[in-house]
Amino acid sequence: MKKLFLSSAVLLLGLPAFAQQEKINDFRTADEKSLAEEVFKLEKKTDKFNLFLNMHGDFETTWTDSHFDGGKFRFQQLRVEAKGQINSWLSYRYRQRLNKGDNPSGYFDNVLQSIDIAGIGLNYKKWSAFLGKQCAAYGGIEFDLNPIEIYQYSDMVDYMTNFMTGVTIGYNFTPNQQLQFQVLDGLVGSSQSMYGDYTPAKLPMVYTLNWNGNFNDVYKTRWSVSVMNEVKEKQMWYFALGNDFNISEKVQMYFDWMYSREAVDRKGIITDIVAPNGWTKKAGDTDIMSFILHVNYRFHPAWNIFAKGMFENEGVYKTNTMDIPDAQGVETPVELEKGKYRTALGYIGGIEYYPFKDRNLHFFATYIGRTYNYTDRAKAFGASDYSTNALQVGFIWQMPVF
């Protein structure tokens, strides 16, 4: 194992250079020059156009239980991004994933799913707005980070629809306290493809109220409550409490709590467990509770070690009936008993190296472990416990092109 890990590092570092609102945050350092400025000796005098290439590439080896699955080079994330401040009140932003395929048919908002963000920002005194496709204003510190910074999301975030079209209105009632209200199209495809044979809502929207707080840069909050009404008379609720703690110059941590209560299984986790042969209607009355704890220790200006734990319970909050097909496609009404169906555990640790003081480029080596434990309720549908393990060695860089 040790030899394989070291070999992975050597292979990756020998490669030639490759030529989630970060979702809202931009972690480019204030004095980091763009590639155009350095190569062509251009002096940048405007903020009207900024171009970035967001990269997360690695060599990964994986195991399922004790079985070695294999290893490969890959880009986990590759996004191109352009944004600028036109004047004091108008800005714009565009970001698209280059490693995600698109099928143009059936998009509810008529925008390719590979496009994360495409819209304009407006500002007036304490008020702000963003119009267009954008990141959902869900709470949680991790949800708000640039996706290239995340080695492994929790099930909660992994299965969520994060980028949708709509409008966000923000009000800064103090310089460090902000409220946001957001309305987005909930559907990113047809109602049939997302939920099955339910009657779709006439206004399939996601409504979110978000509070972003900052207390002397020591404690920061990102809390939210959302309600979704995408299926007629079937509401889905989502709550998130994100808490960020800057304990010292060397130690930083965040803790996220999230809970989703869905009259129709929007994420599809329980549906996949109880209906492995397919479904015509998703399961009803499901819920997920998720906890995330991430700790960074910057023991040297160029080195950071980190550890992350994830704990999630996934189940049914009210007994209900679902038509479940067998291997031959014959559907039978089956009772989904109230209670927990699966516990998902995640444990991640690693080290990061920042070779330049004035750049966000960093190299990393990390271990990612996941364990899925099913209850007897889930095992009655054929589910069985399993675990996955991965070793990754790679690089992350939000490269400023211009």
Side-chain angles (χ1 to χ4, degrees):
M1 178 77 70
K2 183 178 180 180
K3 290 182 178 179
L4 181 60
F5 187 79
L6 293 175
S7 299
S8 302
V10 172
L11 281 169
L12 185 76
L13 296 177
L15 283 176
F18 291 92
Q20 309 77 121
Q21 297 121 344
E22 240 73 72
K23 313 231 179 99
I24 301 226
N25 296 328
D26 183 354
F27 61 85
R28 175 184 177 183
T29 57
D31 54 352
E32 183 174 2
K33 292 184 178 180
S34 70
L35 193 63
E37 289 175 277
E38 294 196 347
V39 173
F40 301 108
K41 306 303 179 183
L42 299 176
E43 184 180 354
K44 191 170 182 180
K45 298 181 179 180
T46 179
D47 194 38
K48 293 183 179 180
F49 179 71
N50 298 275
L51 183 65
F52 300 90
L53 186 62
N54 296 295
M55 298 182 288
H56 179 147
D58 64 34
F59 179 76
E60 180 185 60
T61 54
T62 60
W63 290 259
T64 301
D65 293 327
S66 59
H67 174 74
F68 177 61
D69 299 319
K72 60 183 177 181
F73 291 99
R74 65 175 183 172
F75 264 106
Q76 302 267 18
Q77 302 279 348
L78 184 61
R79 289 171 160 90
V80 63
E81 178 174 356
K83 60 183 178 180
Q85 189 74 36
I86 303 301
N87 53 38
S88 61
W89 61 270
L90 178 64
S91 62
Y92 68 91
R93 187 164 187 184
Y94 177 86
R95 189 174 77 190
Q96 184 169 6
R97 285 169 281 182
L98 303 180
N99 57 344
K100 179 180 177 64
D102 271 309
N103 178 1
S105 63
Y107 293 160
F108 185 79
D109 56 5
N110 206 32
V111 181
L112 296 177
Q113 284 190 323
S114 63
I115 297 175
D116 292 340
I117 302 168
I120 62 171
L122 307 173
N123 289 279
Y124 178 73
K125 295 183 178 179
K126 295 183 178 182
W127 293 91
S128 62
F130 192 86
L131 317 175
K133 190 166 184 181
Q134 56 195 283
C135 179
Y138 300 140
I141 302 302
E142 182 163 285
F143 185 84
D144 194 41
L145 296 175
N146 189 313
I148 64 174
E149 286 287 292
I150 307 302
Y151 298 104
Q152 175 63 60
Y153 282 110
S154 64
D155 279 355
M156 178 76 83
V157 180
D158 245 351
Y159 283 83
M160 290 173 69
T161 302
N162 301 335
F163 301 103
M164 295 166 280
T165 300
V167 58
T168 300
I169 304 296
Y171 177 69
N172 291 72
F173 54 94
T174 75
N176 294 318
Q177 306 291 327
Q178 181 191 55
L179 286 177
Q180 288 183 324
F181 178 69
Q182 185 182 68
V183 183
L184 301 176
D185 285 334
L187 298 178
V188 293
S190 68
S191 178
Q192 177 69 34
S193 65
M194 291 183 66
Y195 295 105
D197 294 336
Y198 287 97
T199 302
K202 297 293 185 181
L203 289 172
M205 300 294 178
V206 179
Y207 305 91
T208 297
L209 181 64
N210 176 284
W211 168 48
N212 301 316
N214 184 343
F215 299 88
N216 298 319
D217 290 328
V218 175
Y219 173 54
K220 298 178 182 179
T221 62
R222 188 165 176 83
W223 296 6
S224 73
V225 56
S226 303
V227 60
M228 311 171 192
N229 184 29
E230 300 164 13
V231 175
K232 186 176 181 180
E233 299 179 352
K234 300 283 187 180
Q235 290 185 333
M236 290 153 275
W237 291 87
Y238 176 69
F239 305 89
L241 302 179
N243 306 274
D244 183 86
F245 303 90
N246 289 309
I247 299 172
S248 69
E249 291 185 359
K250 294 184 177 181
V251 181
Q252 181 270 339
M253 63 178 288
Y254 62 80
F255 175 74
D256 289 341
W257 172 85
M258 298 169 286
Y259 178 67
S260 180
R261 187 179 179 92
E262 305 174 355
V264 180
D265 186 17
R266 192 179 202 275
K267 296 173 183 60
I269 295 175
I270 299 301
T271 301
D272 289 343
I273 292 173
V274 302
N277 297 313
W279 45 271
T280 56
K281 293 174 69 173
K282 278 190 172 180
D285 303 319
T286 64
D287 63 354
I288 305 175
M289 185 175 291
S290 178
F291 302 88
I292 300 172
L293 177 64
H294 184 112
V295 180
N296 290 309
Y297 177 49
R298 197 73 171 256
F299 63 92
H300 183 275
W303 292 92
N304 180 60
I305 57 174
F306 62 91
K308 175 180 171 180
M310 301 180 289
F311 178 85
E312 296 174 282
N313 283 327
E314 302 155 351
V316 173
Y317 65 84
K318 182 172 68 175
T319 299
N320 64 92
T321 301
M322 177 183 179
D323 292 333
I324 298 178
D326 59 21
Q328 287 72 43
V330 179
E331 291 188 339
T332 303
V334 177
E335 183 179 84
L336 301 185
E337 182 185 354
K338 175 183 176 180
K340 183 170 67 175
Y341 280 63
R342 185 172 80 174
T343 297
L345 303 172
Y347 25 92
I348 302 172
I351 188 167
E352 298 168 330
Y353 172 60
Y354 295 76
F356 304 110
K357 181 180 180 180
D358 59 347
R359 293 189 181 277
N360 62 68
L361 168 68
H362 50 287
F363 301 92
F364 67 85
T366 185
Y367 163 77
I368 301 172
R370 306 296 304 271
T371 297
Y372 296 93
N373 295 320
Y374 293 87
T375 64
D376 290 340
R377 297 182 186 90
K379 290 179 179 178
F381 294 95
S384 58
D385 300 342
Y386 71 97
S387 63
T388 63
N389 300 274
L391 292 175
Q392 298 176 353
V393 182
F395 74 97
I396 295 172
W397 191 15
Q398 186 185 56
M399 184 176 74
V401 180
F402 183 80

